[in-house]
Amino acid sequence: EVQLVESGGTLVQSGGSLRLSCTASGFIFSTYDMNWVRQAPGMGLEWVSYISASGTIVYADSVKGRFTISRDNAKNSLYLQMNSLRGEDTAVYYCARGGKGGSRLDYWGQGTLVTVSS
Amino acid sequence: AIWMTQSPSLRSASTGDRVTISCRVTQDISTYLAWYQQRPGKAPELLIYAASTLQSGVPSRFSGSGSGTDFTLTISGLLSEDSATYYCQQYYTFPFTFGQGTKLEIK
């Protein structure tokens, strides 16, 4: 069974930093593209970042230069390092697996809440 | 970026009804479109990908159609458990983008 479990979300001050983790199980993690998607309270879904199985990385303009996505295939883990946090970064952050043959998001974690206070 | 517009934003229907949700895209994305269901307090779940392919385990009352710039999600024989918000998403190019969501309420 595919499982994705996020952790690391908490309350942080504006300008601060935070590292989110996503631990994967039930599939060969190293062969799949992975994504971070976020959802501000009461709002819709916003794609944040992508890392391919081979290491290609893409960011949304809203986080470029502040967030860093990475993966550790030996630990079956995906990470999101978030720096210079702003109030508008407050959201539930989901990790999501990219499906084979195209990057629909076929499995999602339960999400972890990041709250940025001013 | 590619913009996605869903309509309606809110839909109320009764159990057993057939509903359609539209997703319009600002440029041709072929069939690189997915639909997701998000129940309150839960993570999104993939329903449809490649515009019309049903994700494994998803009931056949869900179906998708369209290509290019106009897409439709159809739910036939509504059940109370279909009460949720539905999102379309394009994965034709980065940045991936989502529609604003359609909230479906079951009377």
Side-chain angles (χ1 to χ4, degrees):
Chain A
E1 178 192 7
V2 172
Q3 286 198 331
L4 298 168
V5 179
E6 301 94 336
S7 60
T10 190
L11 174 64
V12 61
Q13 284 197 328
S14 181
S17 297
L18 200 58
R19 187 198 200 202
L20 304 183
S21 300
C22 171
T23 302
S25 61
F27 64 102
I28 304 173
F29 178 74
S30 62
T31 67
Y32 281 84
D33 303 340
M34 297 295 296
N35 296 264
W36 289 99
V37 178
R38 68 185 179 182
Q39 186 169 36
M43 302 296 285
L45 301 169
E46 180 189 13
W47 170 82
V48 172
S49 186
Y50 161 94
I51 183 167
S52 73
S54 59
T56 298
I57 289 173
V58 187
Y59 297 102
D61 285 347
S62 58
V63 306
K64 200 175 296 182
R66 301 188 299 123
F67 289 12
T68 302
I69 192 172
S70 62
R71 63 191 299 161
D72 184 337
N73 292 334
K75 295 184 177 180
N76 289 338
S77 292
L78 175 73
Y79 305 103
L80 187 68
Q81 176 67 43
M82 303 187 296
N83 298 331
S84 303
L85 283 162
R86 308 165 179 166
E88 56 263 38
D89 296 319
T90 294
V92 174
Y93 284 74
Y94 297 100
C95 68
R97 192 181 81 168
K100 290 294 188 183
S103 283
R104 75 269 191 186
L105 307 173
D106 63 357
Y107 287 93
W108 298 60
Q110 86 288 350
T112 188
L113 176 62
V114 173
T115 304
V116 182
S117 69
S118 52
Chain B
I2 296 176
W3 293 93
M4 322 280 291
T5 303
Q6 289 182 231
S7 60
S9 295
L10 176 64
R11 176 79 159 91
S12 182
S14 301
T15 54
D17 283 356
R18 175 177 176 272
V19 299
T20 60
I21 298 170
S22 170
C23 179
R24 287 196 166 173
V25 186
T26 54
Q27 70 180 71
D28 189 336
I29 60 167
S30 183
T31 57
Y32 290 91
L33 185 108
W35 289 97
Y36 302 89
Q37 176 192 65
Q38 185 177 34
R39 295 189 176 103
K42 300 295 186 181
E45 295 183 358
L46 177 65
L47 297 174
I48 303 276
Y49 63 94
S52 60
T53 302
L54 200 64
Q55 171 72 350
S56 176
V58 174
S60 59
R61 64 179 183 275
F62 292 92
S63 63
S65 63
S67 67
T69 60
D70 288 313
F71 302 87
T72 301
L73 173 69
T74 301
I75 313 171
S76 303
L78 273 178
L79 302 178
S80 58
E81 67 200 49
D82 298 332
S83 178
T85 300
Y86 294 84
Y87 294 93
C88 59
Q89 178 231 343
Q90 67 81 18
Y91 51 97
Y92 176 77
T93 188
F94 291 109
F96 295 159
T97 45
F98 292 88
Q100 81 279 14
T102 295
K103 187 174 183 179
L104 176 61
E105 295 179 343
I106 310 299
K107 297 174 191 173

PDB file of all heavy atoms in Angstrom, chain A residues 59-93:
ATOM      1  N   TYR A  59      10.229  25.009  -9.376  1.00  0.00           N
ATOM      2  CA  TYR A  59       9.521  25.709  -8.298  1.00  0.00           C
ATOM      3  C   TYR A  59       8.447  26.628  -8.861  1.00  0.00           C
ATOM      4  O   TYR A  59       8.576  27.165  -9.963  1.00  0.00           O
ATOM      5  CB  TYR A  59      10.480  26.572  -7.479  1.00  0.00           C
ATOM      6  CG  TYR A  59      11.560  25.822  -6.760  1.00  0.00           C
ATOM      7  CD1 TYR A  59      12.856  25.784  -7.258  1.00  0.00           C
ATOM      8  CD2 TYR A  59      11.283  25.150  -5.575  1.00  0.00           C
ATOM      9  CE1 TYR A  59      13.861  25.089  -6.595  1.00  0.00           C
ATOM     10  CE2 TYR A  59      12.283  24.450  -4.902  1.00  0.00           C
ATOM     11  CZ  TYR A  59      13.570  24.420  -5.424  1.00  0.00           C
ATOM     12  OH  TYR A  59      14.548  23.733  -4.761  1.00  0.00           O
ATOM     13  N   ALA A  60       7.424  26.852  -8.056  1.00  0.00           N
ATOM     14  CA  ALA A  60       6.480  27.912  -8.347  1.00  0.00           C
ATOM     15  C   ALA A  60       7.179  29.252  -8.126  1.00  0.00           C
ATOM     16  O   ALA A  60       8.063  29.368  -7.259  1.00  0.00           O
ATOM     17  CB  ALA A  60       5.261  27.802  -7.434  1.00  0.00           C
ATOM     18  N   ASP A  61       6.768  30.258  -8.887  1.00  0.00           N
ATOM     19  CA  ASP A  61       7.395  31.581  -8.749  1.00  0.00           C
ATOM     20  C   ASP A  61       7.250  32.126  -7.326  1.00  0.00           C
ATOM     21  O   ASP A  61       8.122  32.839  -6.838  1.00  0.00           O
ATOM     22  CB  ASP A  61       6.767  32.565  -9.734  1.00  0.00           C
ATOM     23  CG  ASP A  61       7.239  32.338 -11.160  1.00  0.00           C
ATOM     24  OD1 ASP A  61       8.229  31.596 -11.355  1.00  0.00           O
ATOM     25  OD2 ASP A  61       6.611  32.888 -12.078  1.00  0.00           O
ATOM     26  N   SER A  62       6.154  31.774  -6.670  1.00  0.00           N
ATOM     27  CA  SER A  62       5.857  32.307  -5.339  1.00  0.00           C
ATOM     28  C   SER A  62       6.858  31.839  -4.272  1.00  0.00           C
ATOM     29  O   SER A  62       6.938  32.448  -3.202  1.00  0.00           O
ATOM     30  CB  SER A  62       4.438  31.926  -4.918  1.00  0.00           C
ATOM     31  OG  SER A  62       4.279  30.513  -4.927  1.00  0.00           O
ATOM     32  N   VAL A  63       7.603  30.780  -4.542  1.00  0.00           N
ATOM     33  CA  VAL A  63       8.539  30.254  -3.538  1.00  0.00           C
ATOM     34  C   VAL A  63       9.974  30.200  -4.045  1.00  0.00           C
ATOM     35  O   VAL A  63      10.893  29.885  -3.278  1.00  0.00           O
ATOM     36  CB  VAL A  63       8.113  28.849  -3.049  1.00  0.00           C
ATOM     37  CG1 VAL A  63       6.671  28.867  -2.556  1.00  0.00           C
ATOM     38  CG2 VAL A  63       8.307  27.794  -4.140  1.00  0.00           C
ATOM     39  N   LYS A  64      10.180  30.510  -5.317  1.00  0.00           N
ATOM     40  CA  LYS A  64      11.511  30.428  -5.912  1.00  0.00           C
ATOM     41  C   LYS A  64      12.480  31.328  -5.153  1.00  0.00           C
ATOM     42  O   LYS A  64      12.179  32.478  -4.856  1.00  0.00           O
ATOM     43  CB  LYS A  64      11.438  30.826  -7.381  1.00  0.00           C
ATOM     44  CG  LYS A  64      12.575  30.353  -8.235  1.00  0.00           C
ATOM     45  CD  LYS A  64      12.325  30.694  -9.696  1.00  0.00           C
ATOM     46  CE  LYS A  64      11.118  29.963 -10.253  1.00  0.00           C
ATOM     47  NZ  LYS A  64      10.906  30.249 -11.690  1.00  0.00           N
ATOM     48  N   GLY A  65      13.633  30.765  -4.828  1.00  0.00           N
ATOM     49  CA  GLY A  65      14.642  31.509  -4.089  1.00  0.00           C
ATOM     50  C   GLY A  65      14.493  31.435  -2.586  1.00  0.00           C
ATOM     51  O   GLY A  65      15.400  31.844  -1.850  1.00  0.00           O
ATOM     52  N   ARG A  66      13.361  30.924  -2.113  1.00  0.00           N
ATOM     53  CA  ARG A  66      13.126  30.802  -0.669  1.00  0.00           C
ATOM     54  C   ARG A  66      12.993  29.347  -0.231  1.00  0.00           C
ATOM     55  O   ARG A  66      13.371  29.007   0.895  1.00  0.00           O
ATOM     56  CB  ARG A  66      11.856  31.561  -0.270  1.00  0.00           C
ATOM     57  CG  ARG A  66      11.878  33.036  -0.589  1.00  0.00           C
ATOM     58  CD  ARG A  66      10.668  33.750   0.004  1.00  0.00           C
ATOM     59  NE  ARG A  66       9.398  33.237  -0.526  1.00  0.00           N
ATOM     60  CZ  ARG A  66       8.423  32.737   0.234  1.00  0.00           C
ATOM     61  NH1 ARG A  66       8.555  32.678   1.539  1.00  0.00           N
ATOM     62  NH2 ARG A  66       7.301  32.308  -0.316  1.00  0.00           N
ATOM     63  N   PHE A  67      12.428  28.516  -1.079  1.00  0.00           N
ATOM     64  CA  PHE A  67      12.206  27.112  -0.743  1.00  0.00           C
ATOM     65  C   PHE A  67      13.176  26.239  -1.538  1.00  0.00           C
ATOM     66  O   PHE A  67      13.535  26.559  -2.682  1.00  0.00           O
ATOM     67  CB  PHE A  67      10.782  26.695  -1.087  1.00  0.00           C
ATOM     68  CG  PHE A  67       9.696  27.273  -0.205  1.00  0.00           C
ATOM     69  CD1 PHE A  67       9.945  28.306   0.684  1.00  0.00           C
ATOM     70  CD2 PHE A  67       8.410  26.776  -0.273  1.00  0.00           C
ATOM     71  CE1 PHE A  67       8.951  28.834   1.488  1.00  0.00           C
ATOM     72  CE2 PHE A  67       7.390  27.287   0.513  1.00  0.00           C
ATOM     73  CZ  PHE A  67       7.665  28.326   1.392  1.00  0.00           C
ATOM     74  N   THR A  68      13.552  25.111  -0.925  1.00  0.00           N
ATOM     75  CA  THR A  68      14.421  24.141  -1.593  1.00  0.00           C
ATOM     76  C   THR A  68      13.847  22.746  -1.414  1.00  0.00           C
ATOM     77  O   THR A  68      13.642  22.293  -0.273  1.00  0.00           O
ATOM     78  CB  THR A  68      15.846  24.184  -1.028  1.00  0.00           C
ATOM     79  OG1 THR A  68      16.386  25.505  -1.171  1.00  0.00           O
ATOM     80  CG2 THR A  68      16.741  23.192  -1.766  1.00  0.00           C
ATOM     81  N   ILE A  69      13.588  22.083  -2.520  1.00  0.00           N
ATOM     82  CA  ILE A  69      13.114  20.702  -2.481  1.00  0.00           C
ATOM     83  C   ILE A  69      14.320  19.767  -2.616  1.00  0.00           C
ATOM     84  O   ILE A  69      15.289  20.084  -3.324  1.00  0.00           O
ATOM     85  CB  ILE A  69      12.080  20.439  -3.607  1.00  0.00           C
ATOM     86  CG1 ILE A  69      11.373  19.111  -3.409  1.00  0.00           C
ATOM     87  CG2 ILE A  69      12.731  20.545  -4.988  1.00  0.00           C
ATOM     88  CD1 ILE A  69      10.206  18.887  -4.386  1.00  0.00           C
ATOM     89  N   SER A  70      14.263  18.638  -1.943  1.00  0.00           N
ATOM     90  CA  SER A  70      15.327  17.646  -2.061  1.00  0.00           C
ATOM     91  C   SER A  70      14.749  16.280  -1.725  1.00  0.00           C
ATOM     92  O   SER A  70      13.632  16.169  -1.213  1.00  0.00           O
ATOM     93  CB  SER A  70      16.505  17.981  -1.144  1.00  0.00           C
ATOM     94  OG  SER A  70      16.096  17.966   0.219  1.00  0.00           O
ATOM     95  N   ARG A  71      15.525  15.261  -2.008  1.00  0.00           N
ATOM     96  CA  ARG A  71      15.096  13.903  -1.716  1.00  0.00           C
ATOM     97  C   ARG A  71      16.294  13.085  -1.277  1.00  0.00           C
ATOM     98  O   ARG A  71      17.433  13.344  -1.700  1.00  0.00           O
ATOM     99  CB  ARG A  71      14.400  13.275  -2.919  1.00  0.00           C
ATOM    100  CG  ARG A  71      15.274  13.105  -4.148  1.00  0.00           C
ATOM    101  CD  ARG A  71      14.428  12.727  -5.386  1.00  0.00           C
ATOM    102  NE  ARG A  71      13.722  11.462  -5.194  1.00  0.00           N
ATOM    103  CZ  ARG A  71      12.667  11.092  -5.926  1.00  0.00           C
ATOM    104  NH1 ARG A  71      12.179  11.892  -6.866  1.00  0.00           N
ATOM    105  NH2 ARG A  71      12.091   9.914  -5.714  1.00  0.00           N
ATOM    106  N   ASP A  72      16.026  12.079  -0.449  1.00  0.00           N
ATOM    107  CA  ASP A  72      17.043  11.121  -0.026  1.00  0.00           C
ATOM    108  C   ASP A  72      16.463   9.737  -0.315  1.00  0.00           C
ATOM    109  O   ASP A  72      15.632   9.229   0.451  1.00  0.00           O
ATOM    110  CB  ASP A  72      17.355  11.297   1.459  1.00  0.00           C
ATOM    111  CG  ASP A  72      18.490  10.381   1.925  1.00  0.00           C
ATOM    112  OD1 ASP A  72      18.742   9.342   1.272  1.00  0.00           O
ATOM    113  OD2 ASP A  72      19.115  10.705   2.948  1.00  0.00           O
ATOM    114  N   ASN A  73      16.871   9.173  -1.436  1.00  0.00           N
ATOM    115  CA  ASN A  73      16.291   7.895  -1.848  1.00  0.00           C
ATOM    116  C   ASN A  73      16.639   6.765  -0.882  1.00  0.00           C
ATOM    117  O   ASN A  73      15.870   5.814  -0.729  1.00  0.00           O
ATOM    118  CB  ASN A  73      16.744   7.557  -3.261  1.00  0.00           C
ATOM    119  CG  ASN A  73      16.154   8.497  -4.299  1.00  0.00           C
ATOM    120  OD1 ASN A  73      15.083   9.085  -4.113  1.00  0.00           O
ATOM    121  ND2 ASN A  73      16.862   8.666  -5.407  1.00  0.00           N
ATOM    122  N   ALA A  74      17.775   6.861  -0.231  1.00  0.00           N
ATOM    123  CA  ALA A  74      18.166   5.830   0.737  1.00  0.00           C
ATOM    124  C   ALA A  74      17.230   5.817   1.937  1.00  0.00           C
ATOM    125  O   ALA A  74      17.045   4.783   2.577  1.00  0.00           O
ATOM    126  CB  ALA A  74      19.601   6.051   1.180  1.00  0.00           C
ATOM    127  N   LYS A  75      16.637   6.970   2.221  1.00  0.00           N
ATOM    128  CA  LYS A  75      15.720   7.082   3.360  1.00  0.00           C
ATOM    129  C   LYS A  75      14.262   7.155   2.918  1.00  0.00           C
ATOM    130  O   LYS A  75      13.373   7.376   3.747  1.00  0.00           O
ATOM    131  CB  LYS A  75      16.058   8.327   4.186  1.00  0.00           C
ATOM    132  CG  LYS A  75      17.422   8.258   4.857  1.00  0.00           C
ATOM    133  CD  LYS A  75      17.663   9.476   5.737  1.00  0.00           C
ATOM    134  CE  LYS A  75      19.004   9.355   6.450  1.00  0.00           C
ATOM    135  NZ  LYS A  75      19.273  10.536   7.311  1.00  0.00           N
ATOM    136  N   ASN A  76      14.030   6.973   1.619  1.00  0.00           N
ATOM    137  CA  ASN A  76      12.666   7.068   1.086  1.00  0.00           C
ATOM    138  C   ASN A  76      11.975   8.352   1.539  1.00  0.00           C
ATOM    139  O   ASN A  76      10.798   8.333   1.946  1.00  0.00           O
ATOM    140  CB  ASN A  76      11.821   5.860   1.517  1.00  0.00           C
ATOM    141  CG  ASN A  76      12.246   4.580   0.824  1.00  0.00           C
ATOM    142  OD1 ASN A  76      12.856   4.604  -0.240  1.00  0.00           O
ATOM    143  ND2 ASN A  76      11.925   3.459   1.434  1.00  0.00           N
ATOM    144  N   SER A  77      12.709   9.438   1.468  1.00  0.00           N
ATOM    145  CA  SER A  77      12.197  10.691   2.024  1.00  0.00           C
ATOM    146  C   SER A  77      12.325  11.854   1.064  1.00  0.00           C
ATOM    147  O   SER A  77      13.285  11.964   0.303  1.00  0.00           O
ATOM    148  CB  SER A  77      12.925  11.028   3.327  1.00  0.00           C
ATOM    149  OG  SER A  77      12.598  10.108   4.345  1.00  0.00           O
ATOM    150  N   LEU A  78      11.333  12.721   1.141  1.00  0.00           N
ATOM    151  CA  LEU A  78      11.266  13.969   0.396  1.00  0.00           C
ATOM    152  C   LEU A  78      11.286  15.101   1.406  1.00  0.00           C
ATOM    153  O   LEU A  78      10.710  14.977   2.495  1.00  0.00           O
ATOM    154  CB  LEU A  78       9.961  14.014  -0.409  1.00  0.00           C
ATOM    155  CG  LEU A  78       9.632  15.290  -1.184  1.00  0.00           C
ATOM    156  CD1 LEU A  78      10.538  15.413  -2.409  1.00  0.00           C
ATOM    157  CD2 LEU A  78       8.159  15.276  -1.595  1.00  0.00           C
ATOM    158  N   TYR A  79      11.931  16.212   1.042  1.00  0.00           N
ATOM    159  CA  TYR A  79      12.049  17.336   1.973  1.00  0.00           C
ATOM    160  C   TYR A  79      11.664  18.644   1.289  1.00  0.00           C
ATOM    161  O   TYR A  79      11.736  18.775   0.066  1.00  0.00           O
ATOM    162  CB  TYR A  79      13.483  17.447   2.490  1.00  0.00           C
ATOM    163  CG  TYR A  79      14.002  16.192   3.125  1.00  0.00           C
ATOM    164  CD1 TYR A  79      14.882  15.355   2.441  1.00  0.00           C
ATOM    165  CD2 TYR A  79      13.606  15.822   4.408  1.00  0.00           C
ATOM    166  CE1 TYR A  79      15.355  14.189   3.010  1.00  0.00           C
ATOM    167  CE2 TYR A  79      14.078  14.652   4.987  1.00  0.00           C
ATOM    168  CZ  TYR A  79      14.943  13.840   4.286  1.00  0.00           C
ATOM    169  OH  TYR A  79      15.398  12.686   4.866  1.00  0.00           O
ATOM    170  N   LEU A  80      11.281  19.601   2.121  1.00  0.00           N
ATOM    171  CA  LEU A  80      11.075  20.969   1.659  1.00  0.00           C
ATOM    172  C   LEU A  80      11.663  21.902   2.706  1.00  0.00           C
ATOM    173  O   LEU A  80      11.119  22.009   3.812  1.00  0.00           O
ATOM    174  CB  LEU A  80       9.596  21.274   1.429  1.00  0.00           C
ATOM    175  CG  LEU A  80       9.320  22.635   0.781  1.00  0.00           C
ATOM    176  CD1 LEU A  80       9.835  22.657  -0.669  1.00  0.00           C
ATOM    177  CD2 LEU A  80       7.820  22.962   0.801  1.00  0.00           C
ATOM    178  N   GLN A  81      12.780  22.518   2.365  1.00  0.00           N
ATOM    179  CA  GLN A  81      13.392  23.523   3.229  1.00  0.00           C
ATOM    180  C   GLN A  81      12.774  24.873   2.888  1.00  0.00           C
ATOM    181  O   GLN A  81      12.846  25.318   1.738  1.00  0.00           O
ATOM    182  CB  GLN A  81      14.904  23.568   3.025  1.00  0.00           C
ATOM    183  CG  GLN A  81      15.615  24.643   3.818  1.00  0.00           C
ATOM    184  CD  GLN A  81      15.560  24.392   5.319  1.00  0.00           C
ATOM    185  OE1 GLN A  81      15.749  23.266   5.775  1.00  0.00           O
ATOM    186  NE2 GLN A  81      15.321  25.438   6.091  1.00  0.00           N
ATOM    187  N   MET A  82      12.164  25.500   3.885  1.00  0.00           N
ATOM    188  CA  MET A  82      11.456  26.762   3.663  1.00  0.00           C
ATOM    189  C   MET A  82      12.147  27.869   4.454  1.00  0.00           C
ATOM    190  O   MET A  82      12.222  27.796   5.692  1.00  0.00           O
ATOM    191  CB  MET A  82       9.994  26.612   4.096  1.00  0.00           C
ATOM    192  CG  MET A  82       9.283  25.477   3.388  1.00  0.00           C
ATOM    193  SD  MET A  82       7.522  25.417   3.733  1.00  0.00           S
ATOM    194  CE  MET A  82       7.552  25.070   5.468  1.00  0.00           C
ATOM    195  N   ASN A  83      12.657  28.857   3.771  1.00  0.00           N
ATOM    196  CA  ASN A  83      13.323  29.993   4.401  1.00  0.00           C
ATOM    197  C   ASN A  83      12.548  31.277   4.122  1.00  0.00           C
ATOM    198  O   ASN A  83      11.690  31.317   3.237  1.00  0.00           O
ATOM    199  CB  ASN A  83      14.749  30.122   3.862  1.00  0.00           C
ATOM    200  CG  ASN A  83      15.612  28.918   4.168  1.00  0.00           C
ATOM    201  OD1 ASN A  83      15.413  28.220   5.164  1.00  0.00           O
ATOM    202  ND2 ASN A  83      16.582  28.656   3.302  1.00  0.00           N
ATOM    203  N   SER A  84      12.879  32.312   4.889  1.00  0.00           N
ATOM    204  CA  SER A  84      12.245  33.630   4.709  1.00  0.00           C
ATOM    205  C   SER A  84      10.727  33.509   4.628  1.00  0.00           C
ATOM    206  O   SER A  84      10.078  34.055   3.730  1.00  0.00           O
ATOM    207  CB  SER A  84      12.780  34.305   3.441  1.00  0.00           C
ATOM    208  OG  SER A  84      14.185  34.431   3.485  1.00  0.00           O
ATOM    209  N   LEU A  85      10.171  32.787   5.580  1.00  0.00           N
ATOM    210  CA  LEU A  85       8.733  32.508   5.550  1.00  0.00           C
ATOM    211  C   LEU A  85       7.905  33.774   5.733  1.00  0.00           C
ATOM    212  O   LEU A  85       8.275  34.690   6.471  1.00  0.00           O
ATOM    213  CB  LEU A  85       8.375  31.466   6.605  1.00  0.00           C
ATOM    214  CG  LEU A  85       8.746  30.033   6.207  1.00  0.00           C
ATOM    215  CD1 LEU A  85       8.787  29.117   7.405  1.00  0.00           C
ATOM    216  CD2 LEU A  85       7.769  29.505   5.163  1.00  0.00           C
ATOM    217  N   ARG A  86       6.775  33.794   5.046  1.00  0.00           N
ATOM    218  CA  ARG A  86       5.848  34.925   5.055  1.00  0.00           C
ATOM    219  C   ARG A  86       4.474  34.441   5.499  1.00  0.00           C
ATOM    220  O   ARG A  86       4.171  33.248   5.440  1.00  0.00           O
ATOM    221  CB  ARG A  86       5.730  35.521   3.658  1.00  0.00           C
ATOM    222  CG  ARG A  86       7.041  35.875   2.988  1.00  0.00           C
ATOM    223  CD  ARG A  86       6.836  36.109   1.511  1.00  0.00           C
ATOM    224  NE  ARG A  86       8.072  36.467   0.823  1.00  0.00           N
ATOM    225  CZ  ARG A  86       8.218  36.468  -0.500  1.00  0.00           C
ATOM    226  NH1 ARG A  86       7.190  36.128  -1.282  1.00  0.00           N
ATOM    227  NH2 ARG A  86       9.368  36.809  -1.040  1.00  0.00           N
ATOM    228  N   GLY A  87       3.625  35.402   5.858  1.00  0.00           N
ATOM    229  CA  GLY A  87       2.273  35.033   6.255  1.00  0.00           C
ATOM    230  C   GLY A  87       1.533  34.265   5.184  1.00  0.00           C
ATOM    231  O   GLY A  87       0.759  33.341   5.495  1.00  0.00           O
ATOM    232  N   GLU A  88       1.770  34.598   3.932  1.00  0.00           N
ATOM    233  CA  GLU A  88       1.069  33.923   2.834  1.00  0.00           C
ATOM    234  C   GLU A  88       1.550  32.492   2.595  1.00  0.00           C
ATOM    235  O   GLU A  88       0.984  31.782   1.754  1.00  0.00           O
ATOM    236  CB  GLU A  88       1.165  34.732   1.535  1.00  0.00           C
ATOM    237  CG  GLU A  88       2.567  35.053   1.095  1.00  0.00           C
ATOM    238  CD  GLU A  88       3.021  36.445   1.521  1.00  0.00           C
ATOM    239  OE1 GLU A  88       2.672  36.883   2.646  1.00  0.00           O
ATOM    240  OE2 GLU A  88       3.737  37.087   0.726  1.00  0.00           O
ATOM    241  N   ASP A  89       2.575  32.073   3.315  1.00  0.00           N
ATOM    242  CA  ASP A  89       3.019  30.676   3.239  1.00  0.00           C
ATOM    243  C   ASP A  89       2.226  29.792   4.207  1.00  0.00           C
ATOM    244  O   ASP A  89       2.397  28.562   4.194  1.00  0.00           O
ATOM    245  CB  ASP A  89       4.510  30.566   3.557  1.00  0.00           C
ATOM    246  CG  ASP A  89       5.376  31.286   2.536  1.00  0.00           C
ATOM    247  OD1 ASP A  89       5.080  31.186   1.327  1.00  0.00           O
ATOM    248  OD2 ASP A  89       6.349  31.947   2.957  1.00  0.00           O
ATOM    249  N   THR A  90       1.387  30.399   5.034  1.00  0.00           N
ATOM    250  CA  THR A  90       0.555  29.617   5.942  1.00  0.00           C
ATOM    251  C   THR A  90      -0.364  28.704   5.142  1.00  0.00           C
ATOM    252  O   THR A  90      -1.136  29.173   4.302  1.00  0.00           O
ATOM    253  CB  THR A  90      -0.280  30.541   6.844  1.00  0.00           C
ATOM    254  OG1 THR A  90       0.593  31.264   7.711  1.00  0.00           O
ATOM    255  CG2 THR A  90      -1.285  29.744   7.669  1.00  0.00           C
ATOM    256  N   ALA A  91      -0.263  27.405   5.397  1.00  0.00           N
ATOM    257  CA  ALA A  91      -1.018  26.430   4.602  1.00  0.00           C
ATOM    258  C   ALA A  91      -0.789  25.028   5.140  1.00  0.00           C
ATOM    259  O   ALA A  91       0.139  24.792   5.920  1.00  0.00           O
ATOM    260  CB  ALA A  91      -0.571  26.473   3.141  1.00  0.00           C
ATOM    261  N   VAL A  92      -1.640  24.131   4.701  1.00  0.00           N
ATOM    262  CA  VAL A  92      -1.349  22.711   4.837  1.00  0.00           C
ATOM    263  C   VAL A  92      -0.490  22.324   3.640  1.00  0.00           C
ATOM    264  O   VAL A  92      -0.838  22.642   2.498  1.00  0.00           O
ATOM    265  CB  VAL A  92      -2.638  21.875   4.867  1.00  0.00           C
ATOM    266  CG1 VAL A  92      -2.307  20.386   4.850  1.00  0.00           C
ATOM    267  CG2 VAL A  92      -3.466  22.224   6.098  1.00  0.00           C
ATOM    268  N   TYR A  93       0.633  21.670   3.920  1.00  0.00           N
ATOM    269  CA  TYR A  93       1.546  21.250   2.864  1.00  0.00           C
ATOM    270  C   TYR A  93       1.407  19.735   2.673  1.00  0.00           C
ATOM    271  O   TYR A  93       1.531  18.963   3.630  1.00  0.00           O
ATOM    272  CB  TYR A  93       2.988  21.606   3.224  1.00  0.00           C
ATOM    273  CG  TYR A  93       3.260  23.091   3.042  1.00  0.00           C
ATOM    274  CD1 TYR A  93       2.752  24.013   3.942  1.00  0.00           C
ATOM    275  CD2 TYR A  93       3.998  23.554   1.964  1.00  0.00           C
ATOM    276  CE1 TYR A  93       2.981  25.375   3.790  1.00  0.00           C
ATOM    277  CE2 TYR A  93       4.227  24.915   1.785  1.00  0.00           C
ATOM    278  CZ  TYR A  93       3.712  25.809   2.700  1.00  0.00           C
ATOM    279  OH  TYR A  93       3.930  27.158   2.527  1.00  0.00           O
TER     280      TYR A  93
END
